[in-house]
Amino acid sequence: MLAVLASMGGFIFGYDTGQISDILLMPDFLQRFAQCTDRSDASTCHFSIVREGLIVALLSIGTMIGALGGSWTADFLGRRLAMTAECLIFMVGVIVQITSNHVWAQFAVGRLISGLGVGALSAAVPMYQAETAPPPIRGSLTATYQLFITFGILVAYCIGIGTRNIEGSGSWRTLVGIGLIWPLILGLGILTMPESPRWLASKGRHDEARVSLARSRGIPLEEAEHNRTIHREMEDMLSALEYEKGIKAGFWDCFSPRDKQLYRTLLMMTLQMFQQLTGANYFFYYGATVFQSVGISDSYITQIILGAVNFGCTFLGMYVMEKFGRRVPLILGGIWQSAWLFVFAAAGTAKDPSTNPGIGKLMIISACLFILGYASTWAPGVWILTGETFPTRTRSYQASIAAMSNWLWNFLLAFFTPFIVNAIGFRYGFIFAACNLTGAVVVYFFLYESSDLSLESVDMMYCDPDCKPWTSRSWAPEGFADRADLIVQDRAAVKHKAPEGIEEARLEKVEVPNRQV
């Protein structure tokens, strides 16, 4: 329930992303907001490249600003209350959109306001999930954020195909207005969940932090004081906080070389950039238009097929990221995605798909296989890493900066895609293919393997000068033989049994090179 409710933040983003592709093709929306030679005939209406780009991309400008502001909100109000406040902002934006009549700028500004809420949620939700989830299943729980993004996209496609034949403005106003339901579920539901134990501990509320840890790990509250798992996590948290008290952590500390802070900030900004440069949003934002040009008679149906593949394969992604860690899926995923984008671009460039049905079908299959790889690797993986890579003292700032990078590139792609497609057509796919390969190389040389570690241990790993990205899979905190030994001990502790051979020293503070944690 914790994962599902918090991930409604991803659903809100996905729904808002999925709806715009269909709305841009609805006759009443065209007649109201596009340039027309005869307003009574939708076939004479079309959007200029600039106007279409602004309507689509202003959401991303809002999300970029919201992501930066989300760190201060999450630190000041707490993770849960911050999400509730951000839901209210999103709802204001929706109301502005559905009250638009003939001024396209009002609709675009409504998307900008909604983006402020979505951007702040994109920083708060993965951070809250990573801080609250038990390490053995942190990847799966955090991946539900991406799962719900894909679910929101699919639901928007399905509602869009249902509302497109409604007469008048009901076709698009219904689709946009239903978006008020999702923030209500998140804003009220999240208040029934435990607060982040790490935020509580940072505020000196140690007893509440212990209760929060016990609730999210299924441990009876009366056993929390003596449970090995709770004891070790509390000791890790308090030790890390004690160390961080001597460091005045502010926004600019995210760019300090100390403890690889700058390294981690730039790494996650780069991975968020490459998540956008995979090319997935090319299909999600402009999919209906893309497949209309391929010669598909009903591009709405193709959108639903892509949305269903995206949603279904994200379940696979939750398993893959938990079973195989973070590095290997991202490397293989980048290679797989690149291969199918080369096929997509080559097919669309070699022959005109609108007059060659075989080429059109090959392009749809290529797009689906690309989405399969994206949904099971890069889509959930980067959001998982955003929540677990940074130290507590600057996590909210760095998560916001990483999310801002995502939204910046989201905006650039959303706005400039119509211009680029107009100039080079389906050859655009070659650019995305090259970016996927580059992303895989970056992961191999710079990303550390953080699966199965507590957030405090991830911080220790990045600060260990003897650990390299390509050897990080076997790294474990002092007192454990290797990563596998750590997993065995954690699972045994959760089952309320003392693992054989465990030393009490493992529950005490440990020395790591150059710092005390």
Side-chain angles (χ1 to χ4, degrees):
M1 286 302 297
L2 182 150
V4 167
L5 280 170
S7 293
M8 286 302 297
F11 186 95
I12 290 167
F13 165 48
Y15 187 84
D16 219 47
T17 298
Q19 69 182 9
I20 194 63
S21 181
D22 290 345
I23 286 173
L24 290 174
L25 298 178
M26 290 180 176
D28 184 81
F29 191 83
L30 285 165
Q31 289 170 286
R32 287 174 183 269
F33 302 115
Q35 292 103 323
C36 304
T37 54
D38 179 5
R39 291 245 173 236
S40 62
D41 183 2
S43 65
T44 67
C45 301
H46 71 281
F47 285 104
S48 68
I49 294 176
V50 173
R51 186 174 298 189
E52 180 181 31
L54 283 172
I55 289 174
V56 173
L58 271 178
L59 174 79
S60 302
I61 290 290
T63 54
M64 190 169 61
I65 299 169
L68 274 180
S71 60
W72 284 276
T73 310
D75 276 349
F76 181 71
L77 296 176
R79 312 315 193 210
R80 296 182 307 163
L81 283 177
M83 284 187 258
T84 300
E86 289 147 12
C87 286
L88 291 174
I89 295 172
F90 177 83
M91 293 172 73
V92 170
V94 172
I95 292 169
V96 171
Q97 289 175 66
I98 60 178
T99 54
S100 305
N101 279 316
H102 297 285
V103 180
W104 71 269
Q106 180 181 339
F107 188 88
V109 168
R111 283 178 61 78
L112 175 71
I113 296 170
S114 292
L116 295 173
V118 171
L121 285 170
S122 72
V125 171
M127 178 168 57
Y128 170 75
Q129 290 174 321
E131 289 181 341
T132 311
I137 58 169
R138 187 177 61 237
S140 294
L141 290 192
T142 310
T144 57
Y145 177 74
Q146 176 62 31
L147 175 69
F148 271 62
I149 291 177
T150 65
F151 188 34
I153 292 171
L154 177 60
V155 169
Y157 289 164
C158 293
I159 293 176
I161 204 170
T163 64
R164 61 177 174 166
N165 293 321
I166 296 177
E167 289 294 325
S169 64
S171 57
W172 58 272
R173 281 195 170 117
T174 303
L175 181 57
V176 176
I178 287 174
L180 290 169
I181 296 172
W182 322 128
L184 278 174
I185 295 173
L186 171 58
L188 297 176
I190 198 65
L191 298 178
T192 67
M193 294 291 106
E195 180 56 274
S196 161
R198 285 164 176 83
W199 182 80
L200 290 169
S202 71
K203 300 299 180 183
R205 296 155 65 175
H206 299 161
D207 290 339
E208 293 175 66
R210 189 175 287 105
V211 168
S212 177
L213 280 172
R215 282 188 66 192
S216 60
R217 282 145 183 76
I219 294 170
L221 298 184
E222 59 272 15
E223 296 180 22
E225 184 70 32
H226 308 291
N227 183 274
R228 286 180 181 274
T229 301
I230 301 297
H231 182 67
R232 192 174 77 223
E233 285 203 57
M234 281 298 297
E235 283 295 310
D236 283 348
M237 278 194 290
L238 296 177
S239 297
L241 288 168
E242 190 65 30
Y243 166 75
E244 290 166 5
K245 277 183 181 177
I247 303 173
K248 289 186 177 180
F251 179 80
W252 296 111
D253 290 285
C254 302
F255 304 97
S256 168
R258 179 190 177 100
D259 295 338
K260 284 198 171 178
Q261 286 284 72
L262 177 62
Y263 179 102
R264 286 186 263 185
T265 299
L266 294 178
L267 173 63
M268 287 315 305
M269 288 179 69
T270 302
L271 292 182
Q272 287 282 14
M273 174 189 75
F274 277 117
Q275 191 200 51
Q276 288 298 316
L277 290 176
T278 56
N281 279 344
Y282 167 59
F283 295 105
F284 297 138
Y285 280 139
Y286 296 102
T289 307
V290 169
F291 290 111
Q292 207 172 47
S293 67
V294 166
I296 303 299
S297 58
D298 192 344
S299 56
Y300 287 84
I301 298 297
T302 307
Q303 283 278 83
I304 289 179
I305 293 171
L306 280 182
V309 171
N310 190 28
F311 176 58
C313 292
T314 304
F315 284 100
L316 174 63
M318 295 171 71
Y319 171 79
V320 167
M321 298 306 295
E322 205 66 78
K323 178 72 174 176
F324 301 104
R326 317 297 191 241
R327 282 171 50 85
V328 172
L330 291 182
I331 293 169
L332 295 181
I335 296 170
W336 171 276
Q337 291 153 208
S338 179
W340 289 109
L341 282 168
F342 270 119
V343 173
F344 178 88
T349 304
K351 292 187 177 180
D352 183 357
S354 62
T355 58
N356 193 312
I359 290 292
K361 289 174 183 175
L362 175 61
M363 292 177 72
I364 292 173
I365 292 170
S366 300
C368 286
L369 289 170
F370 160 76
I371 294 295
L372 183 153
Y374 172 77
S376 55
T377 57
W378 276 81
V382 174
W383 288 111
I384 292 170
L385 290 163
T386 299
E388 68 187 19
T389 301
F390 308 120
T392 301
R393 65 185 180 276
T394 52
R395 183 175 297 123
S396 61
Y397 298 128
Q398 287 169 297
S400 293
I401 293 169
M404 184 209 68
S405 174
N406 182 289
W407 297 119
L408 171 63
W409 286 93
N410 188 301
F411 164 74
L412 293 174
L413 286 169
F415 183 74
F416 287 108
T417 285
F419 297 94
I420 297 171
V421 170
N422 193 47
I424 63 174
F426 292 114
R427 289 190 292 276
Y428 200 13
F430 291 127
I431 297 174
F432 290 130
C435 289
N436 277 275
L437 284 178
T438 307
V441 172
V442 168
V443 168
Y444 179 82
F445 284 107
F446 298 102
L447 179 67
Y448 287 70
E449 181 55 71
S450 51
S451 60
D452 299 308
L453 295 175
S454 71
L455 298 184
E456 289 70 29
S457 295
V458 172
D459 189 32
M460 291 162 58
M461 175 177 65
Y462 272 92
C463 295
D464 186 346
D466 296 324
C467 182
K468 305 299 179 187
W470 46 90
T471 64
S472 59
R473 185 68 188 93
S474 59
W475 186 94
E478 189 172 309
F480 296 91
D482 52 27
R483 191 75 60 93
D485 181 41
L486 170 66
I487 296 169
V488 169
Q489 304 292 5
D490 271 343
R491 288 176 180 169
V494 169
K495 292 177 181 176
H496 316 295
K497 8 179 234 191
E500 292 182 13
I502 189 169
E503 300 173 5
E504 290 302 319
R506 288 179 179 170
L507 301 177
E508 302 300 324
K509 296 177 183 178
V510 298
E511 293 285 343
V512 295
N514 301 327
R515 65 181 274 196
Q516 171 79 28
V517 178

